[in-house]
Amino acid sequence: MGKEDEPGIRLPYGRQWIDEEDIEAVAQVLRSDWITTGPQVPAFERAVAGFVGAREGVAVSSGTAALHAAVHTLGIQEGDEVIVPTMTFASSANVVVFEGGRPVFADVDPDTLLLASDEVERHLSPRTRAVMAVDYAGQPCDYDALRRICQRHDLPLVADACHALGATHRGKRVGTLADLTAFSFHPIKHITTGEGGMVVTEDSDTAIQMRAFRNHGISTEARARAQQGAWYYEMVDLGYNYRLTDFQCALGMSQLTKLPDWLARRRALASKYDRILGDLDGVTPLAVREDVEHAYHLYVVRLKGASGEQRDKVFRTMRARGIGVNVHYIPVHLHPFYRERFGTRPGQLPVAEEAYNEILTLPLFPRMSEGDVDAVATSLREAVTDL
Ligand SMILES: *Cc1c(COP(=O)(O)O)cnc(C)c1O
């Protein structure tokens, strides 16, 4: 898996799991007539939407394309603002820029690193057009609070749930908590299609618009035209080629059958980490909110009070021992692109900036063994003691 399969790294922070059933599912489609935008696409859309309990799913070529499609349907214009937490992957904010908008970065809760609702209030302006929640590490945000704010100000709520497929909030699955919810099927995420993503929504008109957006803004798809024997089509919007192939959708459907087991496995491994690390001085696992079932895309700890240099030392020590720790994320407002284009700067969002110095992502994926968790914890204990 690209960068993660580094020489000497015995345990990456995440890894896909592809079995013979998956390979057979892909091979079957490759032997068929339709290898892209055929019957597997709507089947995968129904399967994912069904799993999360949403009405519609729109499959696209990446999680970023899913976020882009979601933001596009909001009709963002030049200068419009979208509130985005800074503790996320850059693409959550980038998609706003794709549409000519301005991401307004908000700070996070220090215990969970989730978008803080009072921060959303603080950053509202007459130009605010939407709020984007990010279910950091796989934990649902405080959707009750976020929805209240959005309803009060008549703003759509978009969820970047690329970490949170299978998570729940008060018994409701992520995918039903925001107006539009984006998932990613990159190999590091819960299930994979190689590259891929999906937006789920209750709104069928928006789904139709997003299906056009993924296909150049064309209002009907090739397969539907072939069935009608018609050559005529209309381009009704400016769109992209964000299609997901049929063989990728077949892989996704095969992967989805294993998701419940994998979620259970991630939760079991995370609770083992919690138990072992609970009494380790200087190491604080992120807090888990009440009323949520965490999907544990990532297992993140804070090295409380550590400087960035100290965290880097722990990072290097563990990597030297073959443990593929990582850091999620550099706050997006600190990236040169945002500083230069939008004038963001260090000091602006102190909670996320302080957290950034202290966070470390430990390996977590369904194929890890209990012994692997012990080995990571031992290595972390030693690295922290050496500080
Ligand atoms: C993975 C991820 C994305 C982008 O997904 P891709 O499929 O890699 O484009 C966006 N946001 C977050 C929070 C992610 O983790």
Side-chain angles (χ1 to χ4, degrees), residues 61-65 67 88-89 91-92 134 160 162-163 183-186 188-189 195-197 297 329:
S61 54
S62 70
T64 304
L67 288 165
T88 184
F89 184 54
S91 89
S92 316
V134 176
D160 177 344
C162 289
H163 294 184
F183 296 111
S184 164
F185 309 125
H186 181 274
I188 211 73
K189 307 292 165 66
E195 300 283 354
H297 163 55
Y329 293 95

Side-chain angles (χ1 to χ4, degrees), residues 140-160:
C141 293
D142 185 352
Y143 280 98
D144 291 343
L146 294 175
R147 290 177 76 123
R148 261 197 309 274
I149 296 167
C150 286
Q151 271 161 12
R152 200 177 315 132
H153 298 275
D154 198 20
L155 295 170
L157 179 60
V158 177
D160 177 344

